Amino acid sequence: MTLKKSLMMAMMATTCMMAAAEAYIVPGAPPQRPPASNREERKVINLNRRVSNETLSLLQLARMGSEYNGYEVTSVDVDVRSSDRRAELSLLGDGRLEDSVYAPQGVIRLLPRYRAVIGEDIRNLGLEVRSAINIRSITINLVNNRGGTPGRTLDVPLSISRRLSGNSRLDITPYIDMNRYRGYKLAAIEVEAAAAYKVALIDIQINSFNQGSTIQLDTVNRVHTVRVQNLELGRGADNIVLSTRGDLNLRKVTLKLVR
């Protein structure tokens, strides 16, 4: 091989290496996002207006009808161009507060506090604005969960916090939204509590039958989990009672449900 040919081949190899490097390293370019899953979807609302002391109906603005039943709302991004420092931006699910931000600026991400499946957990999704905010766009981020997610556990906290004395029976069934969770299977119940004096006991009873072992409490607040036999709410788990002995402070009760 002549010296001229050797030099030409070396120059060609160098050029190829530079081109390959340019294909992967572009100074100043934003990082590329990985492709979204086929189950993920975004609905963008181009609002471009000033919103003052108003609650926006997001599903209506995004023209999302019954065809989106079974989709789960994972987050909502709001592009705020300017706002009053006293402004508050809140995400509402059926009127219930899910998340909020004070004095929002830039792109704000709001997250549902609980599971938010359209048509099952929520019927309406609202964006509440207090004071005044200029909103450019709103993006609803979704995952297609139609058909259910086998084995997925849903935590449902109940609004129960009270002092129980002596031998008591607390029926927690009225605290469960049966219209929303009927048909779900109850896999476990979490009880957060502490004895008021030395020791207290809790038995969990479903339809008058004890479930799992007796919970023994001391004076330290702890979370105790009692597993049940996947009884279906409304069919097999119609009456759920905490039977207590001794004085105790009940902080929280959480149901572990499975589709």
Side-chain angles (χ1 to χ4, degrees), residues 5-19:
K5 288 184 176 181
S6 298
L7 290 173
M8 289 181 64
M9 291 180 66
M11 291 176 65
M12 290 174 63
T14 302
T15 302
C16 291
M17 290 175 63
M18 291 176 63

Side-chain angles (χ1 to χ4, degrees), residues 35-241:
S37 163
N38 291 334
R39 296 173 60 241
E40 297 177 2
E41 188 171 331
R42 296 189 307 163
K43 295 291 289 185
V44 180
I45 303 166
N46 293 309
L47 198 63
N48 292 313
R49 74 175 177 88
R50 187 172 181 80
V51 181
S52 178
N53 295 315
E54 183 181 348
T55 299
L56 304 176
S57 178
L58 299 186
L59 299 185
Q60 182 178 354
L61 287 172
R63 298 181 180 178
M64 295 169 59
S66 59
E67 70 274 13
Y68 280 91
N69 286 350
Y71 280 69
E72 181 175 359
V73 179
T74 57
S75 62
V76 174
D77 298 331
V78 185
D79 190 348
V80 178
R81 285 305 174 180
S82 65
S83 68
D84 189 321
R85 291 184 179 180
R86 299 166 298 176
E88 181 182 3
L89 188 64
S90 300
L91 181 67
L92 307 177
D94 290 342
R96 178 188 63 237
L97 178 64
E98 300 286 347
D99 196 4
S100 63
V101 174
Y102 289 94
Q105 288 286 352
V107 178
I108 304 299
R109 171 157 288 186
L110 299 169
L111 302 173
R113 184 174 302 179
Y114 305 110
R115 181 174 178 263
V117 175
I118 298 170
E120 296 180 16
D121 303 306
I122 59 170
R123 299 308 194 268
N124 299 293
L125 190 67
L127 185 68
E128 182 183 43
V129 175
R130 294 186 179 181
S131 192
I133 299 177
N134 290 330
I135 298 178
R136 181 179 180 182
S137 65
I138 303 166
T139 302
I140 306 171
N141 299 303
L142 305 158
V143 173
N144 184 357
N145 279 342
R146 286 192 292 192
T149 306
R152 178 180 179 181
T153 302
L154 169 65
D155 288 357
V156 179
L158 306 181
S159 300
I160 305 174
S161 179
R162 63 180 61 189
R163 175 74 171 265
L164 298 172
S165 301
N167 294 338
S168 301
R169 289 176 58 82
L170 175 61
D171 186 356
I172 66 172
T173 314
Y175 296 89
I176 304 170
D177 186 348
M178 286 295 185
N179 290 328
R180 174 175 292 186
Y181 299 114
R182 187 177 301 276
Y184 282 73
K185 290 187 176 181
L186 180 59
I189 298 176
E190 281 186 355
V191 177
E192 182 179 341
Y197 310 104
K198 294 184 179 179
V199 177
L201 304 175
I202 300 177
D203 284 310
I204 295 179
Q205 299 177 343
I206 299 180
N207 297 345
S208 301
F209 291 96
N210 283 2
Q211 303 293 316
S213 302
T214 299
I215 299 172
Q216 182 169 323
L217 306 175
D218 55 25
T219 54
V220 178
N221 192 62
R222 306 179 195 276
V223 176
H224 303 266
T225 302
V226 174
R227 303 203 174 275
V228 301
Q229 299 300 317
N230 282 331
L231 298 174
E232 187 175 328
L233 290 180
R235 293 182 180 178
D238 304 302
N239 181 252
I240 305 173
V241 171

